[in-house]
Amino acid sequence: MRTIALLTDFGAKDNYVGVMKGVILNINHKVNLVDITHEISPQNVWEAGFLLYESFKFFPKNTIFLVVVDPGVGSKRRALAIKTKNYYFVGPDNGVLSLAVKEDGLRKAVSLENKKYFLREVSSTFWGRDVFSPVSAYLSKGISIDKLGRVCNKIKELKIPSPQIKGSILSGRVIYIDRFGNLITNINLKDFKNFTKNKEFIFKIKSKNITKFYPYYQKAKNDELFLCEGSFGYLEVSLKNKSASSFLKAKIKDKVKLLLKKYARS
Amino acid sequence: MRTIALLTDFGAKDNYVGVMKGVILNINHKVNLVDITHEISPQNVWEAGFLLYESFKFFPKNTIFLVVVDPGVGSKRRALAIKTKNYYFVGPDNGVLSLAVKEDGLRKAVSLENKKYFLREVSSTFWGRDVFSPVSAYLSKGISIDKLGRVCNKIKELKIPSPQIKGSILSGRVIYIDRFGNLITNINLKDFKNFTKNKEFIFKIKSKNITKFYPYYQKAKNDELFLCEGSFGYLEVSLKNKSASSFLKAKIKDKVKLLLKKYARS
Amino acid sequence: MRTIALLTDFGAKDNYVGVMKGVILNINHKVNLVDITHEISPQNVWEAGFLLYESFKFFPKNTIFLVVVDPGVGSKRRALAIKTKNYYFVGPDNGVLSLAVKEDGLRKAVSLENKKYFLREVSSTFWGRDVFSPVSAYLSKGISIDKLGRVCNKIKELKIPSPQIKGSILSGRVIYIDRFGNLITNINLKDFKNFTKNKEFIFKIKSKNITKFYPYYQKAKNDELFLCEGSFGYLEVSLKNKSASSFLKAKIKDKVKLLLKKYARS
């Protein structure tokens, strides 16, 4: 059985996600439906694109990722189906698919135009139900992506900002905050290790200095602020038993700095 | 594989929904389980009935809708299984099933009495687990509805209030508020278009006047309050990038008024 | 099809649960995935252990319960797979599995050591994805538990505190609070009935006296505080149409007392 994995900002209160699944099962009742999350902050394309990028490679080959975070619904923005080396992606052309698509390797992108694979009536406010769900269902039945519309040569792209090294300072940013309040930075673990080489360091965020890195949470003392190896390969800021995000009043895009202790002014 | 679609006010914190699914899979392990929502406000029969009505027709034929919003659990209110033209509905006889059942066309309603299709021990506080789930599971295996109990001639009904036209004013109400804070009214789009005939209008809600209708969200300016074509066919009140509901402090049942500009007093 | 039932503290905001399901489906795409809940308070082993205990017996025989509430992730705490009389349990050795395992009857517990059944790279912060999910998936495919590691003779245990009778007073505790604000006590219904024998009683909680027991909610008057038969066999404190928990400012572990009216001082 093929898998369709859903990622939206529709939340749990309304019937939006349930109705999308109804539409899918009406076309293909032998499919595994998996929720990645529906709690993306309303219309936050970045958050959705990042979580998709962090998730897709754990799914079975040929999984179809159905992503609906779509502030431009109804306007002239394109709707896409994309085949990559190992997967399929369906959603709006606003960059939300791009991090994952680039990572896996784009094979073909198609602009959704063939109404045969849409619901009969297409609203201007709920393409998740009327276009993206039926298209995903038909892909899960083995319909070729070529039948869905015309090939696109270029899709809109998001980029994870790269950390910058300037003199003795590595500068980065917070790029995601999880439910536990852990702050995920754009500094990956290899870069962190190459930069610090097991020497003493100072990590600066929101006027606080962090000097400890632990491979896992339990190593930290109670209420200690520390760096940690995040499960997706990036450096994280954590607070033992509490939310680092609330304590630091940190937000996505906040700047962080890393320097070796020997270079720090006293 | 048949689909059972669940709609309750049980929320996500407890084990209620998971246990219901365990009960179902114990009877039929080849079934698609879909959540419509479990975030109905506690014991709000209206909210659940409306979402069911807005959802059912997108599901595959013969889907069984298992609805548990049941303030009267344990008391003498009837428990029902209903066959309509295309679907099955299972839940308490408090009106929660009625909007959908009426829309699809009642074929047969049965009062759940045959304990053979219940769990062996029936509690007085959790019929969702002990009665409605096993009955739904047996229906999904093809058991005839006639075996479940006696035919009912009348079920309790909810009604969506009709908008009223008096002189030059169309009066309606807010009937649902979604997670984005959009206010769904009981004025359907056809009625709106027939009434305004593309002329300038004034839409009154909570002492605010709205004069713009857009087919989709992106057409609106930032922070603009506007009317929009809702995805389920009703006129909605939206606020670009914000929650119309919070901004207007609007609630379900709030009154709205629509009139043509030429009739408005200056 | 086998069922894997998931119980975690990962919440709905992030991609953690979705990724675990991706890992499982990548190993066995013919499996029913059921969420018990993912809203356990962060790292609350007790809450998870209690809900698992209250849930497991409603699931089909041979269901695999995948439980990840794991404050010690990455440290030297053991990871377990357990076979009981009717089920399988997978999770950390911190007591979270123990109430259910004891109730169903331990047959064999194994310490997870065979890396053949893990993801290729095991992080130190997300064993739910890297160890517990693949192990559960392999169990669902019929791999013998003996292949997963060495037999453990002892696992860490939680205990539901027993109510105490001292003179004419039965003392108990609040052990769980559900989303409706009902307070579940450790006094089971049989003990309650044996103790009160249909005589008038006084139930004390947070300086309030409760004197009514009803078999179901609707029997109570509006805003009345009362005792009720909970759906899992324990005595519950409820407030008609409101949250008993908010009204009483009650917390888990709060003490409750039951005595017969004739013994109460006036």
Side-chain angles (χ1 to χ4, degrees):
Chain A
M1 286 208 301
R2 291 280 284 276
T3 295
I4 297 177
L6 294 89
L7 178 57
T8 78
D9 61 354
F10 289 150
K13 178 186 182 294
D14 303 308
N15 59 344
Y16 300 126
V17 174
V19 163
M20 286 173 60
K21 292 179 179 172
V23 167
I24 291 168
L25 292 172
N26 200 20
I27 294 166
N28 183 6
H29 64 101
K30 286 194 172 176
V31 69
N32 287 314
L33 296 172
V34 175
D35 303 304
I36 298 179
T37 180
H38 302 292
E39 298 297 334
I40 297 294
S41 311
Q43 314 198 330
N44 193 322
V45 171
W46 168 260
E47 237 181 71
F50 181 72
L51 282 191
L52 179 65
Y53 166 73
E54 293 292 22
S55 307
F56 76 92
K57 67 180 174 198
F58 295 97
F59 281 78
K61 206 174 159 156
N62 287 319
T63 291
I64 296 138
F65 294 92
L66 165 49
V67 184
V68 192
V69 177
D70 192 9
V73 63
S75 72
K76 291 225 178 291
R77 66 94 189 80
R78 281 185 304 196
L80 297 173
I82 295 176
K83 188 172 165 27
T84 61
K85 192 177 165 210
N86 298 292
Y87 298 104
Y88 292 83
F89 296 86
V90 175
D93 184 22
N94 58 15
V96 73
L97 309 175
S98 65
L99 294 173
V101 163
K102 193 167 184 188
E103 178 78 7
D104 198 49
L106 176 71
R107 289 292 177 268
K108 187 177 277 185
V110 159
S111 169
L112 300 177
E113 286 160 15
N114 189 345
K115 292 185 178 173
K116 191 178 152 187
Y117 301 106
F118 300 174
L119 286 200
R120 218 170 304 170
E121 286 183 54
V122 174
S123 69
S124 48
T125 46
F126 195 4
W127 277 46
R129 175 191 67 197
D130 304 335
V131 175
F132 298 126
S133 289
V135 159
S136 299
Y138 284 114
L139 283 173
S140 76
K141 288 185 85 168
I143 294 285
S144 161
I145 193 173
D146 298 303
K147 297 201 168 164
L148 300 171
R150 269 181 301 178
V151 171
C152 296
N153 291 315
K154 218 172 141 47
I155 67 168
K156 207 174 165 195
E157 290 193 6
L158 299 181
K159 266 186 195 145
I160 297 181
S162 299
Q164 304 291 330
I165 298 183
K166 209 170 175 177
S168 58
I169 295 176
L170 177 72
S171 301
R173 286 180 181 278
V174 174
I175 52 173
Y176 186 72
I177 301 174
D178 75 11
R179 94 164 287 218
F180 300 104
N182 298 312
L183 310 173
I184 290 85
T185 72
N186 62 340
I187 301 170
N188 73 40
L189 275 174
K190 277 182 206 162
D191 290 350
F192 173 73
K193 286 179 178 170
N194 282 339
F195 188 85
T196 54
K197 293 190 175 113
N198 277 319
K199 289 179 190 137
E200 290 188 297
F201 64 84
I202 297 177
F203 181 93
K204 290 172 175 287
I205 178 168
K206 303 283 276 181
S207 82
K208 296 275 175 193
N209 287 351
I210 300 175
T211 58
K212 297 288 182 188
F213 170 87
Y214 301 121
Y216 52 89
Y217 304 121
Q218 230 194 27
K219 279 253 172 181
K221 289 174 223 141
N222 284 341
D223 303 328
E224 188 183 20
L225 201 60
F226 61 102
L227 299 183
C228 189
E229 179 182 327
S231 58
F232 294 101
Y234 290 100
L235 196 66
E236 296 186 11
V237 179
S238 294
L239 178 59
K240 182 76 178 287
N241 300 326
K242 298 224 171 108
S243 162
S245 153
S246 307
F247 176 72
L248 294 169
K249 300 200 175 65
K251 294 184 305 296
I252 286 182
K253 290 196 181 169
D254 277 350
K255 289 179 189 170
V256 301
K257 283 185 182 177
L258 180 66
L259 69 165
L260 295 185
K261 204 161 186 181
K262 64 178 180 186
Y263 294 120
R265 285 180 231 153
S266 59
Chain B
M1 285 208 300
R2 292 280 285 276
T3 295
I4 296 177
L6 294 89
L7 177 58
T8 78
D9 62 353
F10 289 150
K13 179 187 182 296
D14 302 309
N15 58 345
Y16 300 125
V17 174
V19 163
M20 286 173 60
K21 292 179 179 172
V23 167
I24 291 168
L25 292 171
N26 200 20
I27 294 165
N28 183 6
H29 65 101
K30 287 194 170 175
V31 69
N32 288 312
L33 296 171
V34 175
D35 303 305
I36 298 180
T37 180
H38 302 292
E39 298 297 333
I40 298 294
S41 312
Q43 313 198 332
N44 194 322
V45 171
W46 168 260
E47 237 182 70
F50 181 72
L51 283 190
L52 178 65
Y53 167 72
E54 293 292 22
S55 306
F56 77 92
K57 68 180 175 197
F58 294 98
F59 281 78
K61 204 172 161 159
N62 287 320
T63 292
I64 296 138
F65 294 93
L66 165 49
V67 184
V68 192
V69 178
D70 192 10
V73 62
S75 72
K76 290 225 178 290
R77 67 94 189 80
R78 281 186 304 196
L80 297 174
I82 295 176
K83 188 171 166 26
T84 61
K85 193 178 164 208
N86 299 293
Y87 298 104
Y88 292 83
F89 296 86
V90 174
D93 184 21
N94 58 17
V96 74
L97 308 175
S98 65
L99 294 173
V101 163
K102 193 166 184 189
E103 178 78 7
D104 198 49
L106 176 69
R107 289 293 178 267
K108 187 178 276 186
V110 159
S111 169
L112 300 177
E113 286 160 17
N114 189 346
K115 291 185 178 173
K116 190 177 153 188
Y117 300 106
F118 299 174
L119 287 199
R120 217 170 304 169
E121 286 183 55
V122 174
S123 70
S124 48
T125 47
F126 195 4
W127 277 45
R129 175 190 68 196
D130 304 336
V131 175
F132 299 126
S133 289
V135 160
S136 299
Y138 285 113
L139 283 173
S140 76
K141 288 185 85 169
I143 293 285
S144 162
I145 193 173
D146 298 302
K147 295 200 169 164
L148 300 171
R150 268 179 303 178
V151 171
C152 296
N153 291 314
K154 217 172 143 44
I155 68 168
K156 206 172 167 197
E157 290 193 6
L158 298 181
K159 266 187 195 145
I160 297 182
S162 299
Q164 304 291 330
I165 298 183
K166 209 170 174 179
S168 58
I169 295 176
L170 177 72
S171 301
R173 286 179 182 277
V174 174
I175 53 172
Y176 186 72
I177 300 174
D178 75 12
R179 92 163 292 216
F180 300 103
N182 298 312
L183 310 172
I184 290 86
T185 73
N186 63 339
I187 301 169
N188 73 41
L189 276 173
K190 277 183 207 162
D191 290 351
F192 172 74
K193 287 179 177 169
N194 282 339
F195 188 85
T196 55
K197 291 190 176 114
N198 278 319
K199 289 179 190 139
E200 290 188 295
F201 64 84
I202 297 176
F203 181 93
K204 291 172 175 286
I205 177 168
K206 304 284 275 182
S207 82
K208 298 275 176 194
N209 286 351
I210 300 175
T211 57
K212 297 288 181 187
F213 171 87
Y214 301 121
Y216 52 89
Y217 303 121
Q218 229 192 28
K219 279 252 171 182
K221 289 174 222 141
N222 285 340
D223 303 329
E224 188 183 20
L225 202 59
F226 62 102
L227 300 182
C228 189
E229 180 182 329
S231 58
F232 293 101
Y234 290 101
L235 196 65
E236 295 186 11
V237 179
S238 294
L239 177 58
K240 182 77 178 287
N241 300 327
K242 299 225 171 104
S243 161
S245 154
S246 306
F247 176 72
L248 293 168
K249 299 197 175 65
K251 295 185 303 298
I252 285 181
K253 289 196 183 169
D254 278 351
K255 288 178 189 169
V256 300
K257 282 185 184 178
L258 179 68
L259 69 166
L260 295 185
K261 205 161 184 182
K262 63 179 180 185
Y263 294 120
R265 285 179 232 153
S266 58
Chain C
M1 286 208 299
R2 291 280 284 275
T3 295
I4 297 177
L6 295 88
L7 177 57
T8 79
D9 61 353
F10 289 149
K13 179 186 181 295
D14 303 306
N15 58 344
Y16 300 125
V17 174
V19 163
M20 286 173 61
K21 292 179 180 173
V23 167
I24 291 169
L25 292 172
N26 199 22
I27 294 166
N28 183 6
H29 65 101
K30 287 194 171 175
V31 69
N32 288 313
L33 296 171
V34 175
D35 302 305
I36 298 180
T37 180
H38 302 291
E39 298 297 334
I40 297 294
S41 312
Q43 313 198 331
N44 193 323
V45 171
W46 168 261
E47 237 182 73
F50 181 72
L51 281 191
L52 178 65
Y53 167 73
E54 292 292 23
S55 307
F56 76 91
K57 68 179 174 198
F58 294 98
F59 282 77
K61 206 173 159 157
N62 287 320
T63 292
I64 296 138
F65 294 92
L66 164 49
V67 184
V68 193
V69 178
D70 192 10
V73 63
S75 72
K76 291 225 177 290
R77 67 93 188 81
R78 283 186 303 198
L80 298 173
I82 295 175
K83 188 172 166 26
T84 61
K85 192 177 165 210
N86 297 293
Y87 297 104
Y88 291 83
F89 296 86
V90 175
D93 184 22
N94 58 17
V96 74
L97 309 174
S98 65
L99 294 173
V101 163
K102 193 166 183 189
E103 178 78 6
D104 198 48
L106 176 70
R107 289 291 178 270
K108 186 177 278 186
V110 159
S111 169
L112 300 177
E113 287 160 15
N114 189 344
K115 292 185 177 173
K116 190 176 152 188
Y117 301 106
F118 300 174
L119 286 200
R120 219 170 303 169
E121 287 182 55
V122 174
S123 69
S124 48
T125 46
F126 195 4
W127 277 46
R129 175 191 66 196
D130 304 336
V131 175
F132 298 127
S133 288
V135 160
S136 299
Y138 284 113
L139 284 174
S140 76
K141 287 184 86 168
I143 294 285
S144 162
I145 192 172
D146 298 304
K147 297 201 168 163
L148 300 172
R150 268 179 303 179
V151 171
C152 296
N153 291 314
K154 216 171 142 47
I155 68 167
K156 205 171 166 199
E157 290 193 6
L158 299 180
K159 264 183 196 149
I160 297 181
S162 298
Q164 304 291 329
I165 298 183
K166 208 170 174 178
S168 58
I169 295 177
L170 177 72
S171 301
R173 288 180 180 277
V174 174
I175 53 172
Y176 185 72
I177 300 174
D178 76 10
R179 93 164 288 217
F180 300 103
N182 298 312
L183 310 172
I184 290 86
T185 73
N186 64 339
I187 302 169
N188 73 41
L189 276 174
K190 276 182 207 161
D191 289 352
F192 172 74
K193 287 180 176 168
N194 282 340
F195 189 86
T196 55
K197 292 190 175 113
N198 278 317
K199 288 177 188 141
E200 290 188 296
F201 64 84
I202 297 176
F203 181 94
K204 290 172 175 288
I205 177 167
K206 304 283 277 182
S207 82
K208 297 276 175 192
N209 286 350
I210 300 174
T211 57
K212 296 289 180 187
F213 170 87
Y214 300 121
Y216 52 89
Y217 304 120
Q218 230 193 28
K219 278 252 171 182
K221 290 173 221 141
N222 285 340
D223 304 329
E224 188 182 20
L225 202 60
F226 62 102
L227 299 182
C228 189
E229 180 182 325
S231 57
F232 294 102
Y234 290 101
L235 196 66
E236 296 185 12
V237 178
S238 294
L239 178 58
K240 182 74 179 287
N241 300 326
K242 299 224 171 106
S243 161
S245 155
S246 307
F247 175 72
L248 293 169
K249 300 198 175 64
K251 295 184 304 296
I252 286 181
K253 288 197 183 167
D254 277 351
K255 288 178 188 169
V256 300
K257 283 185 182 177
L258 180 68
L259 69 166
L260 294 185
K261 204 162 185 179
K262 64 179 180 185
Y263 294 119
R265 285 180 232 151
S266 59

